[in-house]
Amino acid sequence: MPSGPLAVRFLVVTAVVARDLRRSFRTTQGRLKRTRQDVEAVRGVSFTIEPGETFGLLGPNGAGKTTTIKMLITLLLPTSGSASVLGHDVVTDVREVRRRIGYVFGGDRGLYDRLSGLDNLRYFAELYGVDPREQRQRIGTLLELVGMTGREGERVEGYSRGMRQRLHIARGLLHDPEVVFLDEPSIGIDPVGARELRATIASLKDQGKTVLLTTHYMFEADELCDRIAVIRAGEIVAEGTPDQLKRGVPSGRVLEVETYGVPEAVVAGMSELSAVRSVGVEDRGQLQVLVLQCDADSEVTQQVLARLGDVRVGRVAAREPTLEDAYVQLVTG
Amino acid sequence: MTVDRVSARLRQLWLCYRLQLKILLISPFEGFLGIVFPLMFATATLMVYRVNGDQAAMAYAGLGAAVMGVWTSVTVSASTLLNRERWAGTLELLVAAPTPFSMVLIPITTAMATVGLVSVVVTLVWNRLVFGVRLEVESWPLFALGVLAATVTIAMFGFLLSVVAVRYRTAWALGASLEYPGWLLCGFVVPIALLPVVLHPISYALAPTWAVEAMRSAASGESPWGELGICLALGSAYAVLAAYLGVRLIDSARRNATLALT
C-alpha cells in the first residue's frame, strides 16, 4: 500500500476523481395536498480519469450523466460522496476547480444570440480571466481550431447548429483549461459537422487535455475514448476500454439477417436455438433485420435460414460485437 | 490586490457592461418599449395632475415621473433578465466562471440602469414639449449628481433583486410586483407625507426616495448633500447585502438545482 505522501501525490496528479457520488432531487406533486418525493439521480458513482485521458460516460437519457458532470463542474452540490478535479475539491475549492475546467454542452443554448460570435468569446474571455494581452491571439487561434475564421463577426442568431456547437467548443477552451467536460456535444449535428467535431475533440487529446465526454453515439465513443463507463439508473454498471466492454458481451458473435415480412412467431422460435443468446428485430423500412447474439465459434446460419422457411431473405452477415451491442446489453440487462 | 488585478477587474466590468448594453439596445423593439413605456406612465401621471392646474405640483410630478422609468427598467428587468439567462442556458456558464458572481451581475444591472437613464432625459423633454412642464433647476451639477445617484442606487437595488432571481426561478414575479408600489413608496409622484405613517420606514429604506429628494433639493436651490449621502449609503448597503447573499444563494441554488431549467 502507498504511504501517506504517495497517496497525496496520487490525488494531485489524477485529473478527475469521483468517490461514491450521490445526488438526490426533491420533487413535489399535487396542488392542494402536496406530496414530496426524493428521487436519487446518481447513486454512488465512482471513477478516476488520468491526465490526458479521454473518458466516456455513456448511458440512456435520465441515467445520471449530466447530473454527474454538473457535480464535477461545481454547478451542483453532491448529496454525499466526494469529487476532485486536479486535486481540488469540487465543494470546498470551487474557484480553483473553475479556473482549470472547461464545460461545453450540446444544443442551441448557452450563447448570446444577439451578439456576434466574437463578442460572445470576448465576454466569456473576460469572465474566465483570460489575460487581456493574450485574448486577441487566443480567440484567433480558437476560431481557427473550430473552423470559424471569417464568420466571427456575424450574430449568433444566424448561425447553424453546427456553428453554434463549434463556437461552444471555442468558448469552453478560451482559458486553456486542463480538463474539458463535453456533455453530448454532437447532439443534433449533421454527419459532416459531427465528423468535424470529432476531429476537434481528437485534437484536444493531442494537446494533452483531459476530456470527459458523454454521448449517445457509440461509434463516437469508440473512436475517441480511451476508457468508458456505462451508467444506468444512477449507477455505473461497467467500466473499461472500448475493447474490454466489447469482449464483455456474453455472446461472442452477431448474426444479422435481412428479412421481408418475418412473422413474430418465427422470431420467437429463433431463441430456441441452443447457440442463440438473444434475438432482436430492427425495422428498416420494408426490411426487418434479425439481430441474433450467438455463442462464439457457433455456426447457426443454416439453422436460422431453415427456421425462416418461406420468408424472403436478403443479406446475411456475421460480425464481431460492437460497442453498441455491449452498451445495449448493459443498459437493458 | 495588485494594480494589474485592479485594472483587469475594471476592464472586465467595463467590457461586460458594454456587451450587456449592446444586448439590450440591439433589439429595436425592446429599445422602443424601454423609452415609450416611461413616456406613457409620465403622460398618465401628468394628465391627472393637470386637472388642478397647479404648476408646482406638475413640476413635482414631472420630475418623479422621469425617475419612474429607471425604477421600472431596473426592477422589472433585473429579475426577468436573469430568468432569460436561465432560459438561454447562459446562467450556468456565468455561475461556473471563476469571476465572482457579483462582478458578473453588476455590469448587467448597470447596463439596465443606463437604459433607464436615457428614459429620464427623454421623459423630461417629453414633459416640457407636451405638457409645458419647465424644469427650473438652480444647480445643474448637483441636479445631475442626483440623477446619477438615483441611477446608481436603483442599479444596486436591481443587483439585490437579481441575486434573488438566480436562486428562485419564479423571482421574476417579485420584480414585476415591485414596479407600481415602488412609484408610490419612493415618492416619485405622491409626497411620502401623504402615505400612511406605517409605510414611511419602507420609503426611507429605499435609496431612490433620497435620490429624488436630492434632485428636488438641487432644483430648488437647497443643499442636496444630506439626501445624497443617505442615498449612497443605502445603495452601498444594497451592494454589500447583495454580495453577501449572492454567495449564499448561489450555494443554495447549487444545493437545490435551480440554476438550469432541467
Side-chain angles (χ1 to χ4, degrees), chain A residues 23 25 70 73-77 90-91 94-95 98-99 103 105 109-112 114-115 119 122-124 126-129 132-133 135 155 168 171, chain B residues 11-12 15-16 18-20 22-23 26-27 30 84-90 92-100 104 251 254-255 257 259-261:
Chain A
R23 173 70 209 199
F25 295 100
K70 285 189 177 176
I73 63 172
T74 76
L75 286 179
L76 276 179
L77 289 173
V90 299
V91 175
V94 173
R95 187 76 58 84
R98 290 176 180 173
R99 280 186 211 282
Y103 172 45
F105 53 86
R109 299 163 68 241
L111 295 165
Y112 291 102
R114 291 181 190 171
L115 295 180
D119 279 345
R122 289 170 68 204
Y123 187 72
F124 284 105
E126 287 296 336
L127 296 185
Y128 280 80
R133 286 161 294 198
Q135 267 185 31
R155 275 197 214 161
H168 262 306
R171 180 197 49 73
Chain B
R11 183 194 144 93
Q12 175 256 312
L15 200 131
C16 291
R18 270 178 50 205
L19 292 175
Q20 284 293 342
K22 201 170 177 179
I23 292 171
I26 224 159
S27 162
E30 286 189 21
R84 199 184 294 176
E85 298 265 6
R86 181 180 277 119
W87 277 91
T90 45
E92 284 190 310
L93 299 175
L94 299 182
V95 172
T99 298
V104 178
D251 277 350
R254 292 167 65 211
R255 194 173 300 112
L259 291 171
L261 294 171

Side-chain angles (χ1 to χ4, degrees), chain B residues 97-119:
Chain B
T99 298
F101 196 60
S102 54
M103 295 295 124
V104 178
L105 284 182
I106 284 174
I108 297 177
T109 47
T110 311
M112 288 176 213
T114 305
V115 173
L117 188 59
V118 174
S119 80

Side-chain angles (χ1 to χ4, degrees), chain B residues 109-238:
Chain B
T109 47
T110 311
M112 288 176 213
T114 305
V115 173
L117 188 59
V118 174
S119 80
V120 171
V121 177
V122 173
T123 309
L124 289 174
V125 173
W126 177 263
N127 293 349
R128 174 77 179 91
L129 295 178
V130 178
F131 293 94
V133 178
R134 291 184 67 88
L135 186 63
E136 289 176 0
V137 176
E138 289 291 323
S139 169
W140 278 103
L142 289 177
F143 180 79
L145 201 61
V147 173
L148 272 178
T151 310
V152 170
T153 53
I154 291 175
M156 290 304 110
F157 189 73
F159 175 32
L160 187 57
L161 281 180
S162 58
V163 166
V164 180
V166 171
R167 167 61 183 86
Y168 300 100
R169 287 175 183 156
T170 50
W172 60 269
L174 175 69
S177 66
L178 285 174
E179 184 179 11
Y180 303 133
W183 293 355
L184 294 172
L185 288 169
C186 295
F188 292 152
V189 287
V190 176
I192 292 168
L194 296 181
L195 299 177
V197 177
V198 70
L199 294 177
H200 287 188
I202 302 175
S203 293
Y204 294 134
L206 292 169
T209 303
W210 299 97
V212 175
E213 279 307 305
M215 286 163 63
R216 287 185 175 131
S217 296
S220 63
E222 295 169 33
S223 169
W225 291 109
E227 288 98 339
L228 280 175
I230 297 172
C231 173
L232 293 176
L234 282 171
S236 306
Y238 296 163

